[in-house]
Amino acid sequence: MARAEKTRTPVAVTRALARLGADITTWRKLRHLTVEQVADRAGVSRSTVLRVENGQGASMENLLRVARALGVLDLLTKAIDPFSTDIGRLRADEELPTRVRRRKATP
């Protein structure tokens, strides 16, 4: 299998990064914390916090570290709980597959 080429970031992802960054900034300000204080509490650099806040992306671990430092880690993880959605509740009793494989094309 050929190595995947790097593609442009989809617009929806760029918008989500910007919104998430703005929300992180708002939480920091609501807590009356400086960027330096959040960085110290999260165990990351000041520039990492600024990258998150500016919607420039960061590793998932660093995003979660910043969220934890702001006291919103649980909110973030609950936001993507599949069983809080209609489809998740409908399929809650189904046994999930161990692996999901690509379907073969029919001739």
Side-chain angles (χ1 to χ4, degrees):
M1 180 179 221
R3 199 172 115 200
E5 291 183 32
K6 184 168 175 116
T7 60
R8 288 187 176 172
T9 304
V11 174
V13 173
T14 301
R15 286 185 187 139
L17 284 168
R19 182 172 176 194
L20 193 58
D23 289 345
I24 291 289
T25 301
T26 301
W27 275 110
R28 177 178 59 77
K29 290 177 178 180
L30 286 171
R31 301 268 194 246
H32 299 283
L33 295 170
T34 66
V35 171
E36 292 78 11
Q37 288 171 315
V38 173
D40 186 54
R41 291 176 183 193
V44 298
S45 68
R46 178 182 183 278
S47 63
T48 296
V49 175
L50 290 174
R51 285 184 58 77
V52 170
E53 288 190 356
N54 291 325
Q56 295 173 337
S59 71
M60 188 178 304
E61 179 180 348
N62 286 341
L63 171 62
L64 296 177
R65 283 174 172 262
V66 170
R68 180 179 170 269
L70 294 170
V72 296
L73 180 59
D74 287 342
L75 290 172
L76 190 57
T77 55
K78 285 179 186 175
I80 61 167
D81 177 6
F83 297 111
S84 66
T85 65
D86 290 341
I87 193 167
R89 284 188 293 272
L90 285 171
R91 296 189 171 172
D93 294 333
E94 291 181 19
E95 185 174 333
L96 296 176
T98 305
R99 290 178 62 180
V100 177
R101 298 173 190 205
R102 188 181 311 196
R103 293 182 185 191
K104 293 181 181 179
T106 55

